[in-house]
Amino acid sequence: MARLLETGEPYYLQIAGKLRGMVGSLPPGERLPSEPQLAKNFKVSRFTVAKAVEELAKDGLVVRKQGSGTFVAEAPLRRQPGYLLSFTEAVAAAGHTATHRVLAFRAVDWSPGLPYSPETPLILFDRLRYVDDVPVARHRSILSAGLVDRIGLTEEVAATSDFSLYRQFEDHGLTVATANEKLIARLASHEERKLLDLADDTVVFSVSRDTYSYDGMPLDSVEATYDARHYSYEARLTRQPDTGNPKKIRRTTMNSGRLILMATTVLASVLGTLTANAADKPAALIIAQGGLGDQSYNDLAYAGFQQALKDAGLEGKAVESKEVVAQAADILRRASDADFGLIVDLEYSHGEPMQEVAKDYPNTTFAILNQVQKGDNIVSVLFQEQEGSYLAGVLAAQVTTDTSIKGINPEPIIGVIGGTKSVGIDKFIAGYIEGAKSVNPKIEVKVAYSNNFGDPALGQQMAKAMYEEGADIIYQVAGGTGAGVIQAAKDSGHFAIGVDGDQDSVAPGYVLTSMMKKTNVAVEGVVKDYAKGVKLGGTTVSYGLKEGGVGLSEMKYTKDIIPTAYLEKVEAAKADIISGKIKVWNVVEQGYPDYLK
């Protein structure tokens, strides 16, 4: 069961797709193969498989039983598929009037999960929706800027009381033909409670929908939040045209009887879970860009989180969002409103929003990685990534001209691909370059940024180009995108350097080493201290070479081909850093060195 890196789809989603096919052929109650067995079959980590199985559990296809395994679920109660109606059309069909108020109309950054390529300029169209003047929903639509221009959509046009986005599409020759849709039930955020006039602890339905035209072009990606008392549903929908004319659309109402029963069932399930967790003051782990299944930063941190929960007997869950950057404050408030006692945040961009949110939740402890944020209830966790990266640079600079090693050319050229141009990533890159130049001041280090942490196909393409330009070793600091860098190393016969976790086994013999940032150790320590009642707020914890928080992997698959003298030089550099003889440049504290400006 091979991974399909060229698709660009995260491993766990690819595996989830294959497992859906398996589940469809099995009777209810049938036990699936164990997660370790599936991990072996798919040649991925167990955490990637666990994430894939979680996707099936979210969809109600399987049931996970503690200590027993994963089983095919009973057939879920579903409404009959309906035709694809806009909010305005559905409300009108029920004999009511739909209006809206524009909350925002502005450019936004791309984020993983959107049906657009990373370079596509995007527009956020955020609306509060009313039925008979009662606020019942919030719609956050993201469209390509090119499409917005094509259909003549401006903030003034959108503000008209009878505006319909679907009608705007059709007026400009575009028909909404199909949609992929997913629904979850959750507690309303602080902002949603204010907009929709909801009481505390109110459950809302959040619907994520990507719509497409008949030729498969993405039209919009919307996250819609509904007051469950008024409007809720879950389905994969399609518009059915009359014969030969896609503009003549049959429109029908929804099957309300099945709809209400489904909504009640989900609400009861969610409320039951929340009540149990709230009593135990559980912990939450907010997953960073790239998501679970990256076989790197997120997966390693999640492993430490799970271990701590198990050892401490604590409840907890991982929190993922396709708009983890754009909705920082909302995600933090949502987790706080769900009454988590500890919120550990892996996403670097959440630092400043956390400072503001934490003030409103003084009884919640927040932990932020890779930076320092002040607050009586915030604990900052730092890693000295530049120290481990320095060692990677020392090794790479020695190997890159040793043609006795297969895959190495005589030119002193190495490379690095970062996920984004930021101090958090450049901290790694600066250390890598400094270490390489300590061996050979004239070495060329090619630097590129993917601006994405979840696109292996992009990473593979970028690495291939860099190898063709003469580099024979590339350090990947790009999360899930880096999986493509490693694949490119294997395809070309050169070397990659892994990051965060021990990635040597991802492509044995083609990963020279991995710069291990032991987020599992840090996260496990924070969660266990929280469970013990340790006062964490207002403190900063640091993990470097001295503390065992960073370092190179054991090089299980490459150690035999690396001359002993090279490894001794790496060990000497490590000892000098620990003793303080070498102080590696820290971009966060010192700004950018000349070689990286």
Side-chain angles (χ1 to χ4, degrees), residues 289 416-422 425-426 429 448-454 458 476-479 481-482:
Q289 298 175 69
V416 56
I417 295 176
T420 185
K421 177 69 176 175
S422 66
I425 295 300
D426 287 334
I429 295 175
Y449 299 92
S450 61
N451 296 315
N452 189 296
F453 288 88
L458 176 61
Q476 78 88 357
V477 195
T481 298

Side-chain angles (χ1 to χ4, degrees), residues 254-291:
M254 294 178 289
N255 186 323
S256 58
R258 289 176 180 264
L259 171 67
I260 293 170
L261 183 54
M262 182 199 73
T264 304
T265 302
V266 177
L267 272 171
S269 173
V270 171
L271 286 173
T273 302
L274 290 172
T275 301
N277 286 348
D280 297 330
K281 285 287 184 180
L285 180 71
I286 297 178
I287 303 301
Q289 298 175 69

Side-chain angles (χ1 to χ4, degrees), residues 573-596:
K574 178 180 178 180
D576 285 346
I577 292 171
I578 291 174
S579 70
K581 183 177 180 180
I582 294 176
K583 294 188 180 297
V584 185
W585 191 279
N586 187 330
V587 170
V588 175
E589 297 176 356
Q590 300 173 264
Y592 280 80
D594 291 339
Y595 55 78
L596 194 56

